Amino acid sequence: MSDDRPVLLPSSCEWSEEARLVGGALRTVQAAAPATGDEARYVLSSLTWQVAAELVEKCPTIDHHHSNIRIMLVPEHDLRALWACYEALVSAHEEDVEATELANLLSPFLRAYDDTDLEGLVACLGRVLSVLSLGIDAAGTLATHLSLKQHDAPEAVDAVNEILTAWRKAGVAP
């Protein structure tokens, strides 16, 4: 049995921008980690940062029409890596001594990226995680109906509404 979960992704410009910021930050850490020769310098292994970056980099789109429905299968182990990165970034934001190097590495990147800081990055990552962690049956229901080309079925419409409600609660959709 697969541990992949179907997740509906927003098609908004704001969502894509936040996912790009998060993906870029995760990729920055992943790229810097091997150069130090110290796996613990940035709290987590380079591989954990890489897995998380690859997951988030699949999220943005350039087609921002509201009627686009995008479904991505998210492997549970990739989601765990992303949660670990979130915890590391929260530690860096809270100025945990063990995460000082992580904060020092990301601060210039974040300032250059629309003058964002660690607090902004953590907030963006929290919204990305809200979408990728959404564990409701509606995503699976919708994926099934879309694959069967039954997008107008009442169950599919109900699933979309349920997902949009969850996104609104998480601050991802208006």
Side-chain angles (χ1 to χ4, degrees), residues 27-95:
R27 187 62 72 189
T28 297
V29 179
Q30 178 266 319
T36 67
D38 179 4
E39 278 291 307
R41 184 172 196 163
Y42 300 120
V43 184
L44 302 168
S45 72
S46 175
L47 181 59
T48 302
W49 292 104
Q50 177 182 343
V51 168
E54 288 173 359
L55 173 61
V56 174
E57 288 172 344
K58 294 175 188 173
C59 293
T61 184
I62 56 170
D63 190 359
H64 298 118
H65 193 268
H66 72 279
S67 66
N68 291 337
I69 295 176
R70 298 181 324 125
I71 295 177
M72 180 170 77
L73 290 178
V74 177
E76 189 63 35
H77 65 275
D78 290 5
L79 191 56
R80 282 193 304 269
L82 188 56
W83 274 106
C85 292
Y86 176 79
E87 291 169 7
L89 291 169
V90 167
S91 293
H93 170 61
E94 294 175 349
E95 300 179 0

Side-chain angles (χ1 to χ4, degrees), residues 126-173:
R127 286 186 290 276
V128 169
L129 276 166
S130 293
V131 170
L132 296 180
S133 298
L134 190 60
I136 59 175
D137 294 335
T141 300
L142 185 59
T144 300
H145 282 283
L146 291 176
S147 67
L148 296 172
K149 301 201 185 307
Q150 299 173 340
H151 60 277
D152 291 335
E155 297 86 3
V157 173
D158 290 344
V160 168
N161 290 332
E162 187 176 341
I163 291 167
L164 289 174
T165 299
W167 283 354
R168 285 182 192 105
K169 287 181 183 176
V172 176

